[in-house]
Amino acid sequence: MPYRFHLDQHPAIIHDSTAFPNTPARTKRSFKAARALREICEAYRTDLPELRVRQGRITLGTCRLADAVRLARLLGASSPGPDTPDANDVQVLLTQAFSSATGGGAVGVSVRQDASDAVELGAIDARTARRLIGSLRF
């Protein structure tokens, strides 16, 4: 059965993998993992608006600090306190939590110079995405 991605629900993900019959299996796995990751993040009310698949890798994109802290806490990080920490602290917190939750998987987390209330999350492969999904499941 082909993977179906509806543009109205997931505008950043290609809508139908059958439109590209020569798509490599790794890319199809990436689409499937991206869809599952988006659904889980939506359930936790964690916004990753730029999540998309590019060249077989899942790019997580820009994330607001509050969402990055929520994601880190969902991955097992300790609470940074009642206030949202600055972007550099969130960068360290999320990098460590991601690595622990995915068994050593890494995601690039960089501080955006033009927006102090956001961090830029890098790209991950489908295998790391599946481990991330496993860590985030209810």
Side-chain angles (χ1 to χ4, degrees), residues 17-97:
S17 66
T18 59
F20 305 98
N22 297 325
T23 303
R26 67 179 169 82
T27 302
K28 290 179 183 178
R29 286 190 298 268
S30 295
F31 284 130
K32 186 176 180 180
R35 178 180 175 196
L37 185 57
R38 180 176 296 281
E39 289 171 355
I40 289 170
C41 287
E42 286 174 355
Y44 282 119
R45 296 183 181 169
T46 301
D47 191 25
L48 296 175
E50 296 178 2
L51 182 114
R52 62 185 38 98
V53 174
R54 288 188 183 153
Q55 298 177 344
R57 294 180 57 82
I58 300 166
T59 301
L60 301 176
T62 303
C63 181
R64 293 179 306 137
L65 287 183
D67 290 319
V69 169
R70 187 176 302 115
L71 181 59
R73 297 219 32 228
L74 290 168
L75 294 174
S78 60
S79 176
D83 298 325
T84 301
D86 72 351
N88 291 320
D89 293 339
V90 171
Q91 177 185 16
V92 171
L93 185 71
L94 189 54
T95 300
Q96 291 172 348

